[in-house]
Amino acid sequence: MKKFLPLILAGVFFIIGLATINDYGMNWDEPVRFMRGQAFVQFFLTGRKSFGLPDRTPPNLIRPGDYLTRYNFLAEEGTKLVELPESPRPQAEFFVLLTKLGKRISFYQHDAWAAYFNTYSTFEVGHLPLPEILGTFSNRVLYQSLGWLGDIDSYHVPYILLSAIGIFVVSQFVLDLTGSWVAALVGGVSLGFFPLFFAESHFSIKNPETAALFAGCVWAFWHWVKENKTRWMVWFFIFFGLSLGVKWDAVFLPFIFVPWLIIIRKTKEFRQWFVPRRLLVIFLIAGFACIAFMLLIWPVSWANPVRALADLVVYYWSIGRGTTFQPPGYLLPGGINSYPILLFLFQTPEIILFLAAVATVAVIRKYTLTTLQSGWLLLLWFWVPIVRYSLPGMHAYSGWRQVMEIVPAIAVLCGVAVFVLARALSGLWPRIVYCVITILYIVLLSTLIRLHPNENVYFNLLGGGVQGAYDRGMVDYFLTNGNVYKQVALWLNAHAERNARLTILSGPTFALSPVWLRPDISISPFYFSAFAQKGEYIVGLNSNVERNYFSYQYPRQFLVPVYQVLVDGVPIAYVYKNDRAHVRQGFADERDIPDPMVTRIHGLNGDYFEVDFGKDEYVTRIHLTNVSP
């Protein structure tokens, strides 16, 4: 039983993930990356750069280089205004196409992304395409060939599978460290019950996968140093190479491994492992193999691999530093960012925090895991990403999921804590502790069931629950990662009038896939009518990060939502209907101020106009005449 426990836990997690897969939406990165994956797989399988399908409206309404949204934010777009039919219904076009073809193809199988292959440009540079390639193969087998899963759900199966591998690695690592099946069970359950990890294993294209592969790197490296066997070296570089193919968090592993190796430098195991000339050869060969793998799965790079890799380094440097997209008020003196660590503390279940704290104290007091100072490896694994993400100038957005590799670390620490408590106590106390821990994990499970499918909006009692976090300004649209849009689509299908119009104001809104909508619902950025109030639906997510764009502010300032997605009473998504019946009280009528006093001001960054009404007024719009383009 003990030998097969990690495999059993991983299998249970995978089965539950499949059983609940249809309840979740999609990540707002996915529409673009689904098309990218389909284009690459088509090229790998056939050598062709197109699908040979009839032209239709692209799944996210744009082709590379088009401009779509009313404010340009994470929209994967260029500068040319998109050209659309009068009433775009991409989902209806797609259903007609399926009937004509007489077979299943993916909604995201579209020639617009064939432009990637024509000329190399930095437009293509971003995260490497391993997740979308795996997702595309899954889509072609499980949806197109077998029909076992729906179109979008089939892309998500590899995410759940990689996350399940993370469950296996964590529980096996705890078993290797402690020899206790109870500790291994707690470690695996801690990762599987972690609200953010569980939810996003269903739809996040990068972060749970990165966490699982990162855990595999640490586990295999520990074994490699401990046993000095070739198979563990091979497993380490397999995990490392796959991790690079998803996201480059693994490049920070030396900041974890080097301090640990320094700590254990006097041990017999280290001296047997640390043969500089041999390690240099190994790392050079493995390094070239990893680079070759990255280029192999990225066919756009083949024409100019050196430039592609250089641009990739620049890309990761640029997104690692720069503007911070997060609620205000969390930067400490010197630019230290407290938001990631506070968000982690408030989004981690109390029982997991407690057990991790017990393990941390035990490691510091050298109470357990003295072999190779393994406890310090676990602490470095946990703290290095958090510290890195909190340093001045680091780019902090999308909560702390950008360093989700700390979740397997804290899960391993939970398993270690149970082992520590069992050794420190005697008599009936270990059983009492086991019972209490079991009850608390059952309570956590009930909470996950209650929040389903919005577990990634979980906040613990330290954060005051979801309401307390909302009051602190910590409930932001980044928390949902786009998942909640499917719930919005289902509401529109049930309540929107026939031939309803839906407008898109922001790039992330494409996490509301048109394929979820009724065929008669039309979707276009040009439906936004503002004060003309022509009755279009507008969707948006709760956000504490203000943006000074009229289209962003308008529905929040002037309209009453017709529907809200609530989690513990806190709205995380809105649907507005832009008509006279849903205007907020006090904004039903406008009056003109035709001749305000206007003064031209010469500023350091150019001229601007100062408009003075003579008294305070609510300004709904400013109409300019005789102004050059």
Side-chain angles (χ1 to χ4, degrees), residues 120 125 128 248 291-292 294-295 298 301 304-315:
Y120 173 81
V125 175
L128 287 170
W248 273 20
I291 292 173
M294 289 189 291
L295 295 174
W298 190 21
S301 69
N304 198 335
V306 175
R307 181 188 170 188
L309 289 173
D311 288 340
L312 196 60
V313 172
V314 172
Y315 167 77

Side-chain angles (χ1 to χ4, degrees), residues 429-447:
W429 282 108
R431 294 186 179 183
I432 294 174
V433 169
Y434 291 160
C435 288
V436 171
I437 291 174
T438 300
I439 292 171
L440 292 176
Y441 274 102
I442 291 174
V443 171
L444 174 57
L445 176 60
S446 67
T447 301

Side-chain angles (χ1 to χ4, degrees), residues 287-326:
F288 281 118
C290 289
I291 292 173
F293 172 73
M294 289 189 291
L295 295 174
L296 179 65
I297 63 174
W298 190 21
V300 178
S301 69
W302 296 355
N304 198 335
V306 175
R307 181 188 170 188
L309 289 173
D311 288 340
L312 196 60
V313 172
V314 172
Y315 167 77
Y316 275 108
W317 178 260
S318 66
I319 66 170
R321 298 175 56 84
T323 304
T324 295
F325 295 104
Q326 66 179 46

